[in-house]
Amino acid sequence: MPQFRFTYLLCSAVLAAFLAASAAQAHHGWAWATDEEFEITGVIQSVRLGNPHGEVTISVDSEEWVVEVGQPWRNDRVGLSKEMLIQGREITVHGHRSAKEGERLVKAERVVIDGKDYDLYPDRTS
């Protein structure tokens, strides 16, 4: 009986780990976004930086879009700071939009603020 219990617990733990990894992969990474390059310019409304990635909400033609910027280390590496992402500032985002119809969500590869490029993913073409 103890071996059956151990096997049951082990299988449950493996299944839980697999499901958690699948759920995380469904959003994080690039699988949720289109392959097509996308560019959008708007005015920053709000900012939330941190893990697993930062989010900048911008206003574009009276619609709000959420832009995923990099993880804290990625933003720091390219010099994209909280002080640059202030409410009211214009930002241009190059990246990939959500593949989900009607969802106003963009994963940024590169952002432009005051004419300066911040290339979050230099290994990707944007």
Side-chain angles (χ1 to χ4, degrees):
M1 188 63 102
Q3 185 169 352
F4 173 75
R5 187 175 192 185
F6 173 77
T7 303
Y8 175 78
L9 290 173
L10 180 62
C11 289
S12 296
V14 169
L15 179 60
F18 175 76
L19 291 174
S22 296
Q25 181 61 26
H27 175 75
H28 299 287
W30 297 86
W32 60 270
T34 65
D35 289 334
E36 185 177 311
E37 291 290 327
F38 182 72
E39 179 180 295
I40 192 166
T41 299
V43 176
I44 297 173
Q45 299 300 305
S46 63
V47 178
R48 185 204 56 80
L49 297 180
N51 286 311
H53 50 74
E55 292 182 352
V56 178
T57 302
I58 63 174
S59 178
V60 181
D61 298 327
S62 301
E63 292 183 332
E64 287 196 344
W65 285 75
V66 175
V67 177
E68 286 188 0
V69 292
Q71 304 91 333
W73 65 266
R74 188 178 298 278
N75 296 335
D76 290 345
R77 183 185 70 193
V78 299
L80 186 61
S81 69
K82 180 179 177 180
E83 293 75 28
M84 295 173 181
L85 299 169
I86 57 173
Q87 188 174 13
R89 179 171 269 168
E90 186 175 90
I91 184 173
T92 297
V93 178
H94 301 266
H96 299 267
R97 69 182 300 171
S98 172
K100 190 176 188 180
E101 181 90 22
E103 185 172 42
R104 292 187 299 269
L105 176 63
V106 180
K107 179 136 183 169
E109 288 180 328
R110 181 171 54 93
V111 299
V112 181
I113 300 173
D114 295 334
K116 183 168 181 344
D117 281 354
Y118 298 90
D119 195 356
L120 298 167
Y121 293 89
D123 54 324
R124 295 179 64 96
T125 305
S126 64

